[in-house]
Amino acid sequence: MVSRNRLVLVSFAAASVLTAMSAAPAAADINGPDVSSWQHIDGRGINWFAVRGSGNNFAMLKATEGLNYVNPYFVQDSLLMRAAGVARGTYHFARPAESPELQGALYAAIVLGQNGMLDLPPVLDMEDSGGLPPGALIDWTHRYLNTVQALTGRLPIIYTYPNFWKSAMADSNEFTRYPLWIADYRGNDNPEVPGGWPNWTFWQYTDSGNVPGIAGGTDMNAYSGAQGDFGRFANMPFSGSSGS
């Protein structure tokens, strides 16, 4: 006989799955979480085989922040993601009060390139102005992106959210050549796209997803198809792979 506690746990797990499914974009079939040290609750590891087995094609992994922080789980997660067949995106959290060139160099050194098998392009996480006015922040962003592209050989992705871009970046349309990863949790069919971008590439649609293999809640993201076949975009080993 199933105990009362086990029934409660089963019911809770089922409700969590349904909640995550209802929050996902209806048309999206290429999804993945993004993780940092916060998903390693009490030092626990992530079971990347369970993450992939539950239908997640990719994950975004925090690598660095500013000039003084490296995710202590970065190497561990990178190796296990590759072993499990999860395409890896890596991101740098920008601290614009410090040099963009030095931050780009730190990021590139830690990720050891971002152009190998199962690698998505590098990501710049823009959600802190560092006290810079829009003109100076726009210049900082150009300098960081140019540095990382030169060091990795790939055109970076920009992560941001609409209100930040419209205010801190004065809704600049100077970055539309870079793929956009937009955060918008309002539950609409499509996110708000600032800055003159014609479309979004990744959409972070919730910050409270539940993924097998990851302890606690996590952000969830969908791929739009804006960069074409996901397998090619993620350097999957077989050309033409959809990532399914």
Side-chain angles (χ1 to χ4, degrees), residues 66-133:
L67 288 172
N68 300 300
Y69 177 81
V70 176
N71 176 2
Y73 299 97
F74 179 78
V75 172
Q76 170 185 315
D77 281 334
S78 291
L79 293 173
L80 292 174
M81 288 169 74
R82 174 136 326 156
V86 177
R88 182 191 71 150
T90 68
Y91 67 90
H92 174 77
F93 189 99
R95 291 297 185 188
E98 301 169 321
S99 164
E101 288 83 8
L102 291 178
Q103 288 185 60
L106 171 65
Y107 164 82
I110 293 301
V111 300
L112 299 175
Q114 194 65 31
N115 204 13
M117 185 177 65
L118 292 173
D119 276 341
L120 287 160
V123 179
L124 172 62
D125 182 342
M126 287 297 295
E127 50 183 301
D128 170 37
S129 71
L132 300 182

Side-chain angles (χ1 to χ4, degrees), residues 9 19 28 30 47 50-51 64 68 81 86 121 130 136 164 174 191 193 200 208 218 221 238 240:
L9 288 172
T19 299
I30 297 178
N47 183 339
V51 173
T64 50
N68 300 300
M81 288 169 74
V86 177
F164 178 85
E174 296 182 21
V193 177
W200 55 275
S208 55
T218 187
N221 309 273
F238 301 105

Side-chain angles (χ1 to χ4, degrees), residues 56-204:
N56 293 283
N57 309 83
F58 68 90
M60 301 294 195
L61 174 62
K62 183 172 184 177
T64 50
E65 177 177 333
L67 288 172
N68 300 300
Y69 177 81
V70 176
N71 176 2
Y73 299 97
F74 179 78
V75 172
Q76 170 185 315
D77 281 334
S78 291
L79 293 173
L80 292 174
M81 288 169 74
R82 174 136 326 156
V86 177
R88 182 191 71 150
T90 68
Y91 67 90
H92 174 77
F93 189 99
R95 291 297 185 188
E98 301 169 321
S99 164
E101 288 83 8
L102 291 178
Q103 288 185 60
L106 171 65
Y107 164 82
I110 293 301
V111 300
L112 299 175
Q114 194 65 31
N115 204 13
M117 185 177 65
L118 292 173
D119 276 341
L120 287 160
V123 179
L124 172 62
D125 182 342
M126 287 297 295
E127 50 183 301
D128 170 37
S129 71
L132 300 182
L137 189 58
I138 288 168
D139 176 68
W140 188 100
T141 305
H142 278 302
R143 289 163 57 194
Y144 177 90
L145 294 169
N146 289 339
T147 300
V148 168
Q149 185 172 359
L151 292 173
T152 65
R154 298 191 80 178
L155 186 72
I157 296 167
I158 294 175
Y159 169 92
T160 193
Y161 55 92
N163 287 343
F164 178 85
W165 197 266
K166 289 189 292 185
S167 57
M169 297 288 284
D171 209 24
S172 172
N173 62 2
E174 296 182 21
F175 298 90
T176 55
R177 77 186 188 97
Y178 299 96
L180 173 66
W181 176 15
I182 194 70
D184 186 342
Y185 307 152
R186 296 174 301 161
N188 295 342
D189 290 337
N190 280 289
E192 179 181 356
V193 177
W197 269 284
N199 47 44
W200 55 275
T201 294
F202 290 102
W203 173 16
Q204 187 180 86

Side-chain angles (χ1 to χ4, degrees), residues 22-67:
S22 65
D29 59 0
I30 297 178
N31 290 272
D34 59 275
V35 302
S36 66
S37 61
W38 292 106
Q39 277 66 48
H40 290 266
I41 298 173
D42 298 327
R44 282 178 281 175
I46 293 174
N47 183 339
W48 288 104
F49 290 90
V51 173
R52 183 67 185 94
S54 60
N56 293 283
N57 309 83
F58 68 90
M60 301 294 195
L61 174 62
K62 183 172 184 177
T64 50
E65 177 177 333
L67 288 172

